[in-house]
Amino acid sequence: MPAARSSRSHRRGLAVIAAVAFGAPLLAFTGSSVPRTRLERSNVVLEAEAEKTSVALVKVTEESTITTAGVLGGVAGLLLGGIWVGAATFAATSYIARKKDDDVALALKGISTGGLEALNYVDYLNNKYEVTSGVGSSLGDAIAKADSQGTVKESLDSIGDAIANFDKEVNVKDTLGGIFTAGGDLASQAVDKVIELNDKFKVTDQIKEKIDEVVAKSSAGTKSS
């Protein structure tokens, strides 16, 4: 009897070793079928949330902040001194905002970044509370009540369709953004060229000398008289 028991124990040991030897490779190829834990499921949800794209009206990038700085400078100059001052301030701010490691450039880009973030926040509030859609529906209801024959509504619908088709073909927002960006680049290059020519031909020094000469002659004439 002891011999039989020993034989059975020996066979059981061999069966366990065989199961481990042949079962491990199968698990390696088939993979574990253990269900995910709550923590793993939470990580999957967080990863899916992180993959969602931003829905900001204007993306705050280096290019957009530089372009906005030039536009803000141009608008400020336009309001303060007219079209020529606006063009000059647009060129100046576009040039300065592109400078690296400059305090004024950092300040301009900080202001433009704040403006873009404020614009995106206003758009977020508008989408959240549906302000413009509410105003539009109220205006539509008022027009519908006042317009008994429906001619005004038809005219407004045709105008809206024309604007929508034009925006669909031209893509107004991207086109205007490209125009302002290209304009800022050209203005910055123009300012660079002016500075280069001034360094080469000393234009401002010559103008200063002429002004000093005229002032000296005027002072001499005043003293002699």
Side-chain angles (χ1 to χ4, degrees), residues 205-221:
D205 293 340
Q206 295 179 24
I207 293 174
K208 183 178 180 300
E209 290 176 0
K210 292 295 183 183
I211 293 174
D212 292 340
E213 183 180 345
V214 171
V215 171
K217 289 181 179 179
S218 299
S219 301

Side-chain angles (χ1 to χ4, degrees), residues 162-209:
I163 294 174
N165 292 331
F166 177 77
D167 181 58
K168 185 178 180 180
E169 294 177 0
V170 179
N171 198 352
V172 175
K173 187 179 77 170
D174 291 341
T175 302
L176 287 178
I179 290 173
F180 283 124
T181 301
D185 289 336
L186 291 175
S188 177
Q189 293 174 16
V191 174
D192 272 332
K193 194 64 177 179
V194 169
I195 295 174
E196 179 183 347
L197 292 174
N198 180 63
D199 291 338
K200 183 177 181 180
F201 298 103
K202 307 297 182 182
V203 178
T204 54
D205 293 340
Q206 295 179 24
I207 293 174
K208 183 178 180 300
E209 290 176 0

Side-chain angles (χ1 to χ4, degrees), residues 99-114:
K99 296 179 70 175
K100 304 293 184 181
D101 300 329
D102 186 85
D103 292 337
V104 180
L106 291 175
L108 289 174
K109 286 189 282 189
I111 294 171
S112 63
T113 300

